Amino acid sequence: MIDVDQPQSALPGLEEPAGPLHRLFFALVPPESVREQIAAVAHALREGGAIEARWVKPARYHVTLAFLGDHPSLRPSLLEAARAAVGKVRVAPFTWSPDQVASFTGRRPPCVLRSTHASQALQTLWEQLRRELSLVRLGGRIERSFTPHVTLAYGLRDLPAPIAVAPIAWPVDRVVLLHSEVGSSDYETLGSWRLPG
């Protein structure tokens, strides 16, 4: 006998489908002028025919600083902790200059834009953000090392060697908190924090 007071979602075979997972991460998002320069690099590679891959739309260009995981909901406590952590970062604005296209190792590695020389300011930004996120227990999904890059394409065969491109001067003056539903191609900005000058 079925208990009529039991909610339908709890009845066998009538479970509510799981909702979308919410992906959160801190990132650097290029200003429009830099986005256009990155898109020009990608266009030249695509038109040159040297790289066959699934190309990322320019609106999605970013550098991931800290991945905060996939969550069943955007809990206020989660967002408050993330905002509190990034608010304690103290790095002055700087310029990052990516100047090469390369691939990571793997079966289907991404094609990325990165810099030949490490940026100490960018490394410091990552280290401070990682430390502050760890203090609010959000650092568990952050990588132990940091290779700043912008993904240009997916499904690439390994490049035999990096390809030099004209340096792109990217003024880094803010960190953004991005949200997307897993499987969606759109990002939503949940916050933006200007680096203290």
Side-chain angles (χ1 to χ4, degrees), residues 42-173:
H43 179 76
L45 292 169
R46 187 169 59 246
E47 292 301 306
I51 297 175
E52 293 182 8
R54 181 168 52 88
W55 296 89
V56 173
K57 294 179 181 178
R60 292 176 58 88
Y61 291 158
H62 67 275
V63 174
T64 299
L65 292 174
F67 177 61
L68 304 183
D70 296 335
H71 306 271
S73 65
L74 293 178
R75 303 185 320 274
S77 59
L78 169 67
L79 298 177
E80 289 170 9
R83 290 168 175 150
V86 71
K88 294 181 180 178
V89 170
R90 293 291 177 265
V91 175
F94 59 93
T95 298
W96 179 53
S97 300
D99 61 356
Q100 70 172 211
V101 173
S103 65
F104 292 135
T105 59
R107 182 170 165 266
R108 293 172 67 83
C111 173
V112 301
L113 177 68
R114 65 185 190 187
S115 55
T116 305
H117 304 289
S119 164
Q120 185 55 55
L122 186 46
Q123 181 70 24
T124 299
L125 173 59
W126 174 77
E127 289 172 353
Q128 284 195 22
L129 181 58
R130 182 174 185 261
R131 182 182 67 242
E132 295 300 334
L133 288 168
S134 295
L135 291 175
V136 295
R137 300 185 179 182
L138 289 179
R141 297 181 182 273
I142 302 175
E143 299 290 336
R144 294 184 178 274
S145 62
F146 179 51
T147 303
H149 64 276
V150 178
T151 300
L152 301 179
Y154 291 99
L156 174 75
R157 292 188 298 272
D158 285 337
L159 287 175
I163 301 171
V165 299
I168 297 174
W170 180 335
V172 177
D173 63 358

